[in-house]
Amino acid sequence: MAGKNPTCDGRAVPLNLPADHLLILRDTLADCLEGVRDDLGTSGAVKDPEQAREEADAYQRLLAGLARGKILVPDAAALSAVRKIAKADDEASNYAEIAANHDALHGLLSLLEGERG
């Protein structure tokens, strides 16, 4: 529920991530927040406005956490939102296929270079 504090029993966890990852996350979360807000502003664009508002609130909390260098956990809404983004990104980029191709090619390279035997 949007009126509840989803992290009232949470604890702050430092964002010990590489600087380039933090930049990517900031841009990605800002884009997602903008998209949800646009959808909420468009009549009939979302099936569940309450869930969309919770998702927007989660993106805002995550962006604030990125700025502070700490996020509050547990945060079920943020976890759900980031899972949704990660899944969509993996599907859009064919991550599983790319990773498998990478592993296969580098495995063959290792054999050809004599690193495996």
Side-chain angles (χ1 to χ4, degrees):
M1 310 247 174
K4 280 186 175 179
N5 180 353
T7 61
C8 62
D9 294 327
R11 61 186 172 87
V13 176
L15 282 166
N16 295 327
L17 299 171
D20 58 332
H21 290 193
L22 295 173
L23 292 172
I24 291 166
L25 291 170
R26 187 192 67 216
D27 291 345
T28 300
L29 294 169
D31 288 347
C32 290
L33 176 58
E34 181 181 345
V36 172
R37 284 181 173 164
D38 287 348
D39 289 348
L40 284 166
T42 304
S43 179
V46 292
K47 294 178 185 174
D48 186 348
E50 181 64 23
Q51 188 275 331
R53 282 189 286 279
E54 287 179 11
E55 191 173 322
D57 290 345
Y59 292 138
Q60 288 179 300
R61 286 192 303 279
L62 289 167
L63 286 165
L66 286 171
R68 281 190 315 267
K70 295 180 180 181
I71 58 169
L72 295 175
V73 295
D75 186 335
L79 177 61
S80 175
V82 173
R83 275 189 179 140
K84 181 177 168 182
I85 298 168
K87 181 180 179 189
D89 189 65
D90 286 352
E91 289 172 356
S93 67
N94 282 331
Y95 177 78
E97 180 181 350
I98 291 167
N101 290 345
H102 172 89
D103 291 347
L105 289 168
H106 284 272
L108 180 57
L109 277 174
S110 292
L111 291 171
L112 291 168
E113 294 169 345
E115 294 179 13
R116 291 187 182 174

